[in-house]
Every structure is written in C-alpha cells, then in structure tokens.
Amino acid sequence: MNANIQLSQLSANLAAQDDDDIDRLAAHAREIRRLSVAAIYHATSGHPGGSLSCADILSVLYGQELALDASNVASPDRNRFVLSKGHAAPALYATWASFGLMDRKTALSLRKLGSIAQGHPHVLDTPLAETSTGSLGQGFSTAIGMALGLRHQRKAARVYTLLGDGEMQEGEVWEGAMCGAHHKLSNLCAIIDYNKLQSDDRNEAIMGLEPLAQKWRAFGWHTLEILGHEIPAITAAFDEARAINWRPTVIIAHTIKGRGVPYMEDQPLWHGSVKLTREQTETALLSLGTSAIEMKELLDVR
Amino acid sequence: MSASPQLIGSSGDSLREAFGKALSACANDYPNVVVLDADIAGGTGVHHFRKSHPDRFFQFGIAEQNMMAAAGGMAATGLIPVVTTFAVFCLRAIEQARLSIAYAKRNVKIVASHPGLDVGPDGGSAQALEDLAAFRAIPGMTVISPADAEEMAQATRAVLDFDGPVYMRTGRSGSKRLFGPDHKFEIGKGQVLCNGNDVTLVACGVEVARALEAADLLAKDGIAARVINMPTIKPIDTALLAIASKETGCMVTAEDHNIYGGLGGAVAEALAQTTPCPIEFVGVRDVFGQSGEPDELAEHYKLTAPYIAEAARRAIARKKKNK
C-alpha cells in the first residue's frame, strides 16, 4: 500500500461506528472472500484478485448502506447497486449469499451451464444485478441512466456503482463522468476499487491513471479517497456522499488486489480468469480463516 | 437577408421530421417516454419534442456510448427512452446497444437518422450502410425502416406501444409521400403495394418509391411486377415473402444499404428456408459512399428505378432458365 496516499478528511474523523457493527461487516467480508474463492475453484475459471479486493466495500454496501432485504428488493423505490466491474461477479454472488439474498449453492454454481450465476452478472438471471455487465464502462453509464431516471420520477432512491481501476481506461467512463456532473446527479455514488493492478500488469505500466483523484475533481465530482479495506472509512465515505446534494460522489478506495490471500496479494497474475488447484484453494481458504467444517462444505459442494 | 442561417434538412417531408413531429404529437399519450439526444436534435427531428416536452428531453452531449448505455439504465427505472442520433453513431455505440439494452432486454427505442446514401454531401464517413445488418444480428432487436412520412408517424406510435428494444431508421432527405391515412403499419408485416405475378420487388425506406417507379417501367414492357413494402427488416414477414416467391417465382430486393446483411440478406435467409427462388440484390455493392446529393448518389451507386427494373429482368431470366 502506498504510504503517501492523500486520504480524505474522513479517515481523521470517522463517524463513531458500533464495534459490533464493524465486526459483523468484517465477518461478512471474510465470508464473501471464502465463497468467492470456492466458487472460482469449482468453476475452474474466474477472477479472484479483483473479487477479493472489493469484498469489504460490498459488505458495507449490502450489510448497511443499500438497506436491501427480501422485502424490498423489487420495490421501485429501492436503492440500486451496479457492479460495473462485472468480472468481480464471484464476489457479488458471494455477497448476496452472505446476506441471504441468494442461496450458497447457487453462488457456488458460478459459470456452470444453466446456472443463474453467470460469469458476468446478467439481470435476466439475477434481477438483483440491476443490469448486465461485463463490458467495462457500461455499468457506470447504466447507473447514470438509473440515477437520472429515478430523479426524473422524483424517487429518493440512490444508485451505487463499483468500477475497477483498469476500467478508467475506457473512454465511456469519462463520457459518463462529464454527464454525471453536468446533470448534478447527487443520488449517484461511484466507488473505484483502486487495487493498482489490471489484467497484464500494474495500471501505471499499462496506461497510467494518475493523478486519478485530480481527474475526478476536475470532472466536477465530489471526490473522496479512503482505504478500501477499513470498514469505518467505507461507512464514513457513504455517509458523506449522502450529505452532498448538488453533485455526484466518487469514492476512490485504495485496495489490495487479492486481499486476504497472501500468495495472491498485489500479484497481477491473479487478476485474470484463473484455474485454482485444490491445494491453492485450501491454502487460500485457510488464510481466510475457514473452519474445517466450512472447508468441507465449500470444497465438496454438489 | 436573414441573419440566421437556413438549417439544411429541416425540410418538411423528411422522415426525421415526420418522426420528430409524430413523437411530439403523441408524447402526452406516453408519459413514460423520454428522449435522449447527443447534440443533434435539430438533425434527428427531436427538436420538436424538446420544444413541446422540455422536461422529458435529456441532453447527453457528443458521447453516444454513455447515452446508449444510460438509456438502458433509464429503462430499468420504468421509463421508455428514445435514443436519437445519426445511424453511424448508433454503430459507434452498438456494443452498448447489445449489452446494456438488448442483452438486458430493455424497452429502449433507438431511432437513427441519416442512414445510407440518403445522407448525401456529408460523404462516406457519415453514410451508414451497415446499420441494418449490424442491429439485425443482435438477438431480440427489432429492426424497422419506414418508407414515407405517414408510415413513419404510424411506426413511431407502434414502436412506443411495442415492449422491447427497437432500432428504427428515419431519413435525412425529403421523402416522397406514398401512403394516406388509411395506410396500416404493423410491426413484422409487409404490404403488397401493387400486384403482379412476373417478379416481386421487395423494398424498404427510400427504395420503396423507387421500386414502385421500377414497376411502372416494367409494365411498359408488359412485365407485371408485385411490389412489397417491407418496413420491418426483423422479424421479416416470411409468410408474405413465401407467397410472393411461389406466385412470382423470382425476386429483387432494394435498399439504401450494403447488399450484405440488410433487407436482401433477411429476404434470402427467409426464402432459403421456405420457398427458394432466384433473387437479385439492389443496394450498395460492398463499398463506402462519397459526397453528392442523394439523387446523384442513388444514380451513381445504381439504386434508382431503372437499375431495379434491370435487376428484375435478370431475375426473370434466371427463373426461366431454371424451368
């Protein structure tokens, strides 16, 4: 982690958050990571690095910020979340499973023929995905459309979308950045999972993104930088975003790719669609604090 | 002398103007309809809607990819977005139309002005000759190309009533009036405009008027041509084509589009599976266009009535040879 990161004011004066709440969300994040790794193992392909890096953000979103449950997931007034970095689908399904919005067996059927847990989220199979993603940039634009549409219909619902850092290289993202600011979409909050790595190498080697925060500020967004594995920091950033009523917010979440699995951490090799061996999977699951009973359940699922 | 320039193409009977007026006129019946524009409302006809329903008009700037995907998002909230831009820029955003609209099965209407050689002097870069083929290849996408202002107005209402993604061509230049208010446009249906049993001429868009002219030319030589207006390219009216193939034994397709993948391709695919017959294709022969007035270009690229008639004679000769 880059020690020179300019963190937002937030990290200094974090909103007081109940320790139990932090523990609860941290436990969900660990479960999201375990389920993601197991699903990718069973699928024999999938993107572990970028799934592990966004687990804490997803935990805070579904465990707290979105206020979604079985009773309101279909309500027109619900808050919406779009996974613009659709290749982190394993983490999305794992999150739903962890919060009781999808059964675990389905989350573990990732990428299998006939499964609703498609390789990239597909709204016709899983309405909770809100839209279909997998082509970078499009989920972001779709979220912009949702925010415009909701505001047009005078709904108070908010729209959240998670983008990858490599995704910043898509021109469409900057079309959307202009659009969101121009239309003053304060009901929109984008989060960037800034893990510094993409498919083939570090962002800066492939196509430099820096100065990223300055770019978003220049485009007119309320721009925050946080440590994306610190649950109180994520919570505080969402609190601040909700208080901004005249422009959209982007939260640049500094994360570590492969977070929680030491042999994957900060290694570009583990971005891509990879096949995990049983041994690699067991090692990863042990690192993630998996109990013997859960290990068996995760690995021998049928 | 007026200080403001005359806006080229704001002429009365172009299909884009017909679309823009129809959309504005029926908008009160469709409160969920919103219009998305990429800074060319004056060119696409939706300047009428902008004036009549400013609160439902959304400006996206010159950024078609974001606009196309955002339309999918707006549809997800229950609105019926009408995305408007030039046909070439629909091609620019086709992957957004594929993933965020068609794959997600969104009720979005993509309405493309400036298709084909009909664009005229802007030249080859602006003349989309591939759009029908490209959008036709997207699963679940309905593809429509009306022939005149009346049909355009009816099609505008029809696509708003229809639940599902639609790609619809309008047109830049002044169009000939072919139909009266008694005309009935229905998605997926073609109409026989004139009867004959020697050959069938199937056309869409600006080529329908030219096909009717071609039928007159053929009649002078004692050839009775059946002319079919085929405004829906997908799903194509296979039943009507099969009857025509059986009864006339040969066919010509005519479109302001590449001969590959558009109306001609759709007709050939439909007939190959039902009632094959010799088919000749009138269209742009796999080249790009260039600057010129639409009529000059139609002549240069052999899309006018005499070329359709000539193709009909070739088709008839092939039919006779096969017997």
Side-chain angles (χ1 to χ4, degrees):
Chain A
M1 176 65 62
N2 182 349
N4 297 321
I5 289 164
Q6 295 293 310
L7 294 178
S8 94
Q9 295 278 347
L10 284 167
S11 297
N13 50 51
L14 293 175
Q17 191 175 17
D18 196 303
D19 281 349
D20 290 349
D21 224 26
I22 297 170
D23 291 347
R24 175 181 69 90
L25 294 173
H28 277 291
R30 280 193 299 278
E31 186 178 33
I32 291 165
R33 290 189 167 94
R34 292 198 292 270
L35 280 165
S36 298
V37 167
I40 291 166
Y41 163 69
H42 290 295
T44 68
S45 68
H47 299 71
S51 295
L52 294 168
S53 63
C54 64
D56 303 288
I57 297 162
L58 290 173
S59 177
V60 177
L61 276 166
Y62 280 92
Q64 189 169 275
E65 183 66 15
L66 293 169
L68 286 176
D69 56 48
S71 74
N72 67 3
V73 285
S75 162
D77 298 313
R78 70 189 180 279
N79 293 320
R80 286 148 171 89
F81 172 71
V82 172
L83 183 70
S84 196
K85 49 170 285 183
H87 55 280
L92 186 64
Y93 304 141
T95 304
W96 293 344
S98 186
F99 289 102
L101 297 166
M102 175 182 259
D103 65 54
R104 287 165 70 94
K105 208 170 169 182
T106 304
L108 292 172
S109 69
L110 175 75
R111 291 176 171 247
K112 300 287 190 199
L113 182 67
S115 168
I116 62 168
Q118 289 289 294
H120 294 80
H122 185 26
V123 66
L124 299 187
D125 286 322
T126 52
L128 201 49
E130 303 290 358
T131 188
S132 301
T133 56
S135 173
L136 297 175
Q138 293 200 38
F140 180 50
S141 294
T142 302
I144 288 166
M146 288 174 184
L148 269 171
L150 289 167
R151 189 178 69 183
H152 179 70
Q153 295 169 87
R154 307 195 193 295
K155 293 192 183 301
R158 292 178 58 76
V159 182
Y160 297 81
T161 180
L162 181 68
L163 294 88
D165 46 16
E167 188 168 4
M168 300 297 106
Q169 292 157 6
E170 286 285 4
E172 183 180 355
V173 168
W174 302 102
E175 292 184 1
M178 265 193 276
C179 182
H182 178 83
H183 288 287
K184 302 183 169 57
L185 294 176
S186 56
N187 58 346
L188 176 65
C189 178
I191 309 111
I192 299 168
D193 180 7
Y194 196 6
N195 59 36
K196 320 294 185 298
L197 303 181
Q198 57 191 97
S199 184
D200 211 29
D201 204 342
R202 299 190 169 272
N203 303 143
E204 293 308 301
I206 298 292
M207 184 58 64
L209 308 178
E210 286 296 334
L212 188 59
Q214 278 173 250
K215 286 189 175 78
W216 283 93
R217 286 194 184 100
F219 273 75
W221 286 57
H222 185 67
T223 305
L224 306 175
E225 285 192 85
I226 62 166
L227 294 174
H229 300 307
E230 289 187 1
I231 281 161
I234 302 167
T235 301
F238 286 141
D239 287 346
E240 183 168 326
R242 255 183 280 110
I244 304 295
N245 61 8
W246 57 284
R247 57 178 175 170
T249 295
V250 59
I251 299 167
I252 300 175
H254 292 271
T255 58
I256 295 168
K257 199 148 194 168
R259 169 79 170 193
V261 177
Y263 71 84
M264 289 185 187
E265 285 189 0
D266 205 31
Q267 299 295 317
L269 189 65
W270 296 98
H271 164 92
S273 197
V274 297
K275 184 174 174 174
L276 291 173
T277 65
R278 177 123 185 161
E279 193 188 346
Q280 285 167 336
T281 308
E282 283 173 356
T283 306
L285 289 174
L286 283 174
S287 307
L288 293 165
T290 311
S291 69
I293 295 168
E294 196 189 2
M295 181 80 84
K296 191 169 162 46
E297 185 244 331
L298 288 173
L299 291 179
D300 298 330
V301 65
R302 275 286 169 270
Chain B
M1 195 176 150
S2 168
S4 55
Q6 188 197 343
L7 286 176
I8 297 164
S10 304
S11 65
D13 273 322
S14 68
L15 297 187
R16 53 190 169 136
E17 281 291 301
F19 156 71
K21 286 176 185 169
L23 185 65
S24 179
C26 72
N28 288 343
D29 297 339
Y30 301 91
N32 287 342
V33 166
V34 292
V35 170
L36 285 66
D37 169 44
D39 192 29
I40 39 176
T44 57
V46 295
H47 59 97
H48 294 291
F49 186 94
R50 177 174 60 192
K51 199 171 171 192
S52 64
H53 297 82
D55 56 318
R56 285 155 61 185
F57 179 87
F58 291 85
Q59 182 57 259
F60 278 81
I62 307 168
E64 294 81 9
Q65 298 168 61
N66 180 59
M67 172 171 71
M68 196 68 85
M74 292 177 92
T77 69
L79 298 172
I80 304 174
V82 178
V83 184
T84 56
T85 183
F86 293 170
V88 273
F89 304 135
C90 290
L91 288 175
R92 182 190 191 111
I94 196 165
E95 203 227 332
Q96 282 73 15
R98 174 187 178 272
L99 180 77
S100 297
I101 295 176
Y103 185 55
K105 217 173 180 179
R106 297 299 185 201
N107 191 18
V108 174
K109 317 305 166 186
I110 304 163
V111 182
S113 70
H114 294 59
L117 299 176
D118 182 61
V119 170
D122 277 351
S125 69
Q127 295 159 351
L129 296 166
E130 313 83 2
D131 57 323
L132 297 178
F135 278 88
R136 194 166 77 84
I138 298 176
M141 185 69 74
T142 294
V143 179
I144 297 172
S145 176
D148 90 333
E150 174 63 30
E151 187 165 74
M152 189 75 240
Q154 291 190 23
T156 300
R157 265 187 181 270
V159 300
L160 297 182
D161 287 331
F162 176 79
D163 184 18
V166 173
Y167 177 83
M168 181 164 74
R169 266 185 167 194
T170 67
R172 175 182 173 272
S173 67
S175 66
K176 293 202 170 65
R177 194 160 268 280
L178 302 174
F179 307 121
D182 58 330
H183 179 68
K184 285 275 174 287
F185 170 84
E186 196 183 331
I187 294 173
K189 296 285 181 207
Q191 305 98 27
V192 176
L193 301 184
C194 80
N195 249 312
N197 282 334
D198 294 328
V199 60
T200 301
L201 313 178
V202 189
C204 65
V206 293
E207 289 298 292
V208 176
R210 292 180 182 133
L212 286 167
E213 271 180 65
D216 287 344
L217 293 175
L218 291 166
K220 282 174 190 157
D221 292 341
I223 299 169
R226 179 177 305 189
V227 178
I228 292 179
N229 170 38
M230 192 63 84
T232 309
I233 317 301
K234 182 188 174 185
I236 195 105
D237 190 345
T238 303
L240 187 68
L241 290 170
I243 292 167
S245 176
K246 264 187 213 153
E247 293 180 355
T248 70
C250 64
M251 213 166 274
V252 175
T253 63
E255 61 196 308
D256 185 1
H257 187 272
N258 195 338
I259 53 168
Y260 298 130
L263 176 68
V267 169
E269 288 163 19
L271 292 181
Q273 296 178 84
T274 53
T275 45
C277 70
I279 308 174
E280 292 287 323
F281 303 103
V282 172
V284 179
R285 306 196 78 80
D286 206 27
V287 293
F288 292 104
Q290 60 177 306
S291 289
E293 291 306 319
D295 285 348
E296 294 174 324
L297 291 166
E299 177 61 30
H300 182 83
Y301 290 95
K302 304 185 174 176
L303 265 60
T304 53
Y307 294 106
I308 298 172
E310 197 181 295
R313 291 189 184 92
R314 287 198 305 273
I316 292 167
R318 285 173 59 199
K319 170 173 72 170
K320 286 180 177 161
K321 204 175 154 192
N322 287 351
K323 274 189 179 163

